[in-house]
Each structure stands twice: as structure tokens, then as C-alpha cells.
Amino acid sequence: MSKTRSLRVYLFGAFLSAVLLPYLVLGVVGFSAVKTIAGRQGEEKLDIIVHSLAGRAMAFLEENATALRAAGQSLDSGAVEAAKLPVFLGRLLENYPVFETIMVLDGKGLVEAISPEDPDFVGIDFSRQEFYRGTRERFEVAFSDTFLSLRTGHSVVSLTARAGSRSVVGILDLEKLSSFLVGVTLGKEGSASIVDSVGTVIADRDRELVLQRSIFRFPGLLEKAATGELVSGVYAAEGKPHRATALRMPFTGWTVALYQPLAEANALSTAMLTGFIGAMTLAIAVFVAILLLARRRILLPLERLSAEAARISAGDYSGQGGPEAAVSDMDFTEIEALKRAFAETRMAVGAREAAMLAAEDRLRESLTQKDVLLREIHHRVKNNLQIISSILSLQADALRGDPAEASFLECQGRVQAMAAVHERLYQSEDLSRVSVREYFETLLDAAFMQGAELAPGARRELAVDDSTLDLDRAVPCGLIVAEALSNSMKHAFPNGREGTISVRFARVGGRFELSVRDDGAGPGSGFTERRPSSLGLHLIDALSRQLRAEARVGAAEGGGFEVSLAFAATVGE
């Protein structure tokens, strides 16, 4: 039987595949692609900005370091006399106003000259300062850690250039670095910072962070940037995730960092996702509307037709509440045609069923008459066989003591065996088959009743399954069992010997197996299976051939006598 599918499920799947699924797939793929591109472009933008800022900052520092280096070379060459040092430093400060202070230290680290001029500073010892002790190579420029200027309140750094035994020191105001960051736009809350080697903010769009010498909010970013490579990622500050990019500047150990709240950085993706969800909602609404329309115009009419078919199946051909009355809201030509065809089919089926019921009544009446007639035939056959049995019994009584008496009694037993089949048939609901168990029980009862005087010590054992036999095979089987029982009762238990006669019948695969066995005296020494000496054994041999059975007659294993046969369970095999 082929598998069926629900039309409701099929329509749902079809609309889903045709309307919603393509839109969903295209939307997801498009959203993922745009999100990836937007993310990549955002990262590239941050990379460009951070490299640009780092380049400008390095150019700024290099320009001023070069000025100090040139001043040191002038001092080392002797081009500047000691008396003219203040004038030389003043002009240098005019040319490079980003220096807050420029001074010359002698070989011992004492201030030799300073600009702007301040006599109180001349002679001050800076030999213990890190910026002085860290400078060893001639004309090398060393950077100190940043610190806060007491004069301006700005972050400053000292640059020191060695000039022979003397050093030129410039205090560089880093306020200009913050001006580089003002033009960087990263949304409403994004910002840019330059952080020194110890994590202090020295330049930021928010000048308050610089004035307060604030610690940079993303220490993890600084740790990763320490490798000197550009780093990007998501970092949290005050429990709020940010997308951040950083690059460490060479020589100074400072870091240029850009950061923006993650929600703001993903604003484009979020807007796209919102639009996608809105479009999906609209698509789902259209999808549901199509399904509801399909249900009203297709499924409901078909469900009504199905309900009407169920009523017809139950025998209701009235058509009340059927498709004619229920399809008033239909406007599909195909369903209207189906409705009319269904109504015509209902009428035709109703008429045919009425005719079939009438014919069935006639057949049932005829079958009842035949059943009664067949039962009567079996009953009369059984009665006729009983009459024959009675005649044989009377004849045997007339020949009491005569050797012919036994032959008449044996014939009577055979007739009774055939009569028992017809008795079972007319008492059974199935007139064509006989219950083997009930039939063999009747044969055992008759055999033990007739042979009670011959074998008073005999016991019986019946092992029969629920098989049935048709009349053509039940009669030969019954006659074989009757002959085998008669033989055992006469010969198996002489002189009051005790023993058991067992009858077994069962279906094994496609064959019936029958066995009648006793544990008595067994056959004599002159018995030959192929040349039976008695009429009963001749009958068993002939009846076995009639059944096309494989028969065995002779001594049983372990002693006694056995008649066994096996024949096909199906006629014709």
C-alpha cells in the first residue's frame, strides 16, 4: 500500500518552500555577507586611522627630536659660544614653540643655560634624572616617561640629545597630540587615545582624561599591543563591551588606541537585522494569510467532502449537510465540478447498494436453505450409517461364537467411524471441515467402549492440535485411526496386560503428521510391513495411498506397535 501525505502539510510545505524559505535563505545569506563586509570595512577603517595617527605622532616627535639633535651638533662643533647660549636657546624655542623649556646641561648634569631664561634654574643638578642618565650615544635622543607640567598642567615628556660632554634637554608639550585626535570621528561615544608606556593617557579627545593623568581603560589591549603588531578585538570597560584597535609606536613604547562601544560599532548590522526581522515578519504575515486563504478555499471544502464520504461509508445516502449545501462559499471551478461528481457518485452508490442489499437478502435466504439442506443430508447419511451399523451388530449377535462374528464387529466399527464424521459436520458451524480433536475423541470413546473386554488394562492418551480437515481427508484419517485403535485393543494387551494407546496429530510446517501407537506386545516375528496379513492393515495401506501420505506400520521404538503417516496440509501438494 502506497504511503499517503496530508494535503495540509503538503500545502504548508509548498508555501513555505515557495514564499518564506527563499526569502529567509536570501535574507540570512545577504545579512551575513553584508555583516562580514561591514565588519571588514570597519576594521580596515580603524587600521587606517590608527596607522595615520601613529604616523603623525611619530612625525611630530621625530621633528622635535631632530631639532634637539641639530642643536647638540652645533654645541659640539663649538659654533655657539657660552655667552650666547641663552640667545641660541631662545631662538630654538621660537622656532619650536611646542617645547615648554629647552636647557643645556654640562658634563656633570648641572644647568648651564635655560630658555625661557630663569636664573634660579642655572646650576640645578639634573644628574640623577633618568633622562640625563639614559643618554649615552652622541646625538642620540632619549625620551623620558611622561609627566605633568607644573607650569601648564599639560602632559609633557623630556627629550635629551648628547652633545659631547654636554646635553641638550627639551621639555616637549604633548598637548598637540590631542589636537591630532580631535578630528577622529567614531560615532557618538567612540574615541581615540595615546597612552604612554605605563598606561597613562597622554592624549585623548576628552582633555579631562589627560589632565587627570587617567589610566587607560583597556589594559588587556595594551598588553596585546606590546608585541608591536596591530591588534583588534572586543574588550570590556566598566562592564560595557567595546571594539578596540591599537598599535604601539616604536622607540617611545607609547600606544595609539581607538575604541567604540560594540553596540555602536555594530549599528549598521543591528539596523540591517532590524530591517530583516521586519521583512521576515511581513513575509510570515503574507505566508499565514495565504495559508488561511488556502484552508478556506481548498482544505475546508475537501474536509467537507471527506466527512460526506464517511457518512456514505456508514450507509447514509441522504446528502443532508453534504457538499451541495456546504460549498456555497466556493468559487473554484474544479471544486464545484468535484462537488457535482461527488453528488452523482453518492446517488449511484446508494442505488447500487440498495440493489446489492436486495441481492444479498436473496443470496442469504438461498444460502440458509442450502445450509439446512446440507445439514439434513449429513444427518440422514449419519442415520443411514447408524442403521447399517445396527444391522451389522444384529448380524454379529446372530453369529455369536462364530468366527465371522469378529468380522461383522470390525465392519460395524468402520461404519461408525464414517458416521462420526457426518455427525461432527452437521453439528458444526462449518459444514466443510471437521475438528480433528473432536473427531478423534469420538473414535477413542468408541474404540475403548467396544474393546473394553479385550484390553481392560489399556489407557488412552490424546495429543491433537486445533487443526481441521475437509471431508475427503477426514474419512480416510478416521478409518486409519479406527483400524489402528482396533488392532491395538485386540493384540497389544493380552491377558489383562496394562499399557497406553496414544493418538497424536499436529501440523508441522506444510504437512500433517498422524501417529497411533501403543506400548504393548508389539507385532509378531513374522510381521512384514510390505506384506500385511490382515484386512485392517490392507485398509491402512490403501487409505494412506488415497491421502498420498508417507506411511509406516510396524514396531515402535521402545516396544509396542505404531501406525504413523505424514501428508500435505494443502490439497494438491
Side-chain angles (χ1 to χ4, degrees):
M1 181 178 179
S2 60
K3 294 183 178 179
T4 60
R5 293 183 295 176
S6 169
L7 180 60
R8 188 190 308 274
V9 174
Y10 179 79
L11 290 176
F12 180 84
F15 289 139
L16 182 66
S17 302
V19 179
L20 198 58
L21 192 58
Y23 193 87
L24 178 63
V25 171
L26 290 175
V28 170
V29 172
F31 173 74
S32 299
V34 173
K35 182 180 179 181
T36 302
I37 294 172
R40 187 182 300 116
Q41 290 179 345
E43 291 179 0
E44 292 175 353
K45 176 184 176 182
L46 293 179
D47 294 351
I48 293 172
I49 293 174
V50 77
H51 276 97
S52 175
L53 290 176
R56 293 184 67 185
M58 285 301 300
F60 169 73
L61 295 176
E62 183 61 31
E63 178 186 1
N64 293 286
T66 300
L68 287 186
R69 192 180 295 115
Q73 290 173 349
S74 297
L75 291 177
D76 187 57
S77 66
V80 181
E81 300 176 1
K84 295 182 179 181
L85 272 177
V87 177
F88 175 75
L89 295 179
R91 289 178 180 174
L92 183 62
L93 189 62
E94 288 178 3
N95 291 329
Y96 294 93
V98 291
F99 283 108
E100 182 181 293
T101 303
I102 301 177
M103 53 188 171
V104 176
L105 306 181
D106 62 15
K108 295 180 180 180
L110 302 178
V111 178
E112 185 177 343
I114 187 169
S115 182
E117 292 187 37
D118 188 346
D120 295 335
F121 263 84
V122 176
I124 293 179
D125 186 3
F126 282 98
S127 62
R128 296 181 181 274
Q129 298 298 321
E130 183 67 30
F131 65 81
Y132 175 78
R133 292 187 294 130
T135 308
R136 292 291 180 265
E137 299 292 332
R138 291 183 65 188
F139 312 126
E140 174 191 359
V141 178
F143 292 82
S144 70
D145 291 336
T146 63
F147 55 94
L148 194 65
S149 171
L150 297 177
R151 181 182 299 175
T152 62
H154 297 165
S155 288
V156 294
V157 64
S158 63
L159 278 63
T160 304
R162 179 73 69 178
S165 61
R166 294 187 290 184
S167 301
V168 180
V169 180
I171 307 301
L172 185 63
D173 190 340
L174 301 178
E175 180 67 13
K176 189 172 180 61
L177 293 179
S178 293
S179 66
F180 295 162
L181 307 180
V182 172
V184 178
T185 302
L186 295 175
K188 295 181 179 180
E189 300 182 40
S191 187
S193 298
I194 299 178
V195 185
D196 66 11
S197 59
V198 296
T200 303
V201 178
I202 59 176
D204 196 280
R205 293 179 61 190
D206 185 357
R207 301 298 178 87
E208 289 298 321
L209 296 177
V210 179
L211 295 176
Q212 296 172 7
R213 300 284 291 173
S214 301
I215 300 299
F216 190 56
R217 295 190 292 173
F218 307 99
L221 180 64
L222 297 180
E223 292 177 4
K224 289 192 174 182
T227 60
E229 297 181 357
L230 181 72
V231 295
S232 298
V234 177
Y235 299 86
E238 301 174 358
K240 189 175 182 180
H242 290 68
R243 184 179 298 281
T245 301
L247 178 64
R248 172 157 289 200
M249 297 165 54
F251 308 116
T252 61
W254 299 351
T255 303
V256 179
L258 304 177
Y259 54 91
Q260 186 179 17
L262 189 61
E264 192 174 80
N266 295 334
L268 177 60
S269 299
T270 303
M272 289 184 57
L273 180 61
T274 303
F276 174 68
I277 292 175
M280 282 298 301
T281 303
L282 178 61
I284 291 173
V286 173
F287 176 68
V288 171
I290 293 175
L291 283 182
L292 291 176
L293 181 63
R295 180 178 183 275
R296 179 173 178 269
R297 295 296 187 182
I298 299 175
L299 294 178
L300 285 181
L302 293 179
E303 288 174 358
R304 295 185 184 114
L305 290 173
S306 178
E308 180 65 13
R311 284 193 290 271
I312 292 175
S313 177
D316 181 7
Y317 301 99
S318 62
Q320 297 178 357
E324 302 95 327
V327 193
S328 58
D329 58 343
M330 292 184 188
D331 55 2
F332 289 130
T333 303
E334 293 81 3
I335 295 183
E336 286 286 350
L338 179 62
K339 176 199 68 174
R340 297 189 188 94
F342 194 89
E344 293 173 359
T345 301
R346 187 193 66 241
M347 296 175 61
V349 170
R352 291 178 184 175
E353 182 165 346
M356 289 175 63
L357 289 175
E360 183 181 353
D361 290 340
R362 292 192 297 271
L363 289 174
R364 186 177 293 108
E365 182 179 356
S366 175
L367 184 61
T368 301
Q369 293 174 356
K370 289 180 173 60
D371 184 81
V372 171
L373 178 61
L374 191 56
R375 290 181 186 277
E376 181 64 23
I377 291 172
H378 283 299
H379 184 61
R380 292 191 180 187
V381 170
K382 177 256 181 184
N383 287 342
N384 290 337
L385 290 174
Q386 288 286 18
I387 292 172
I388 296 172
S389 175
S390 298
I391 294 173
L392 291 174
S393 177
L394 292 174
Q395 188 64 48
D397 288 341
L399 297 172
R400 188 172 298 277
D402 191 282
E405 179 186 6
S407 298
F408 278 95
L409 291 176
E410 289 174 359
C411 289
Q412 182 188 13
R414 296 174 185 124
V415 172
Q416 288 178 343
M418 290 185 289
V421 173
H422 293 279
E423 181 180 17
R424 292 288 98 197
L425 284 173
Y426 81 75
Q427 291 177 352
S428 173
E429 294 182 359
D430 187 354
L431 295 174
S432 62
R433 302 187 71 83
V434 177
S435 169
V436 177
R437 180 186 293 111
E438 294 177 358
Y439 183 30
F440 285 4
E441 283 178 349
T442 302
L443 296 178
L444 274 171
D445 290 341
F448 271 77
M449 183 181 297
Q450 293 176 358
E453 295 181 359
L454 296 174
R459 296 181 299 275
R460 65 182 183 178
E461 180 181 298
L462 181 65
V464 181
D465 62 11
D466 295 330
S467 299
T468 60
L469 289 173
D470 57 273
L471 184 61
D472 290 339
R473 293 192 293 178
V475 171
C477 277
L479 290 173
I480 289 172
V481 171
E483 291 297 331
L485 289 174
S486 176
N487 182 73
S488 295
M489 294 297 288
K490 288 191 295 183
H491 306 293
F493 309 107
N495 304 320
R497 177 175 176 172
E498 295 184 354
T500 302
I501 302 174
S502 62
V503 179
R504 300 180 182 277
F505 187 91
R507 179 166 182 161
V508 180
R511 294 159 63 87
F512 286 129
E513 293 184 358
L514 170 64
S515 170
V516 181
R517 174 179 177 174
D518 63 63
D519 56 2
S525 58
F527 177 81
T528 301
E529 180 179 353
R530 295 184 178 277
R531 300 179 65 184
S533 57
S534 66
L535 176 60
L537 295 180
H538 274 294
L539 284 174
I540 291 175
D541 181 61
L543 293 170
S544 297
R545 288 197 299 272
Q546 181 179 339
L547 290 171
R548 297 182 181 178
E550 297 175 3
R552 179 183 176 278
V553 180
E557 293 183 7
F561 189 78
E562 180 181 17
V563 176
S564 63
L565 62 152
F567 57 94
T570 304
V571 177
E573 292 186 0

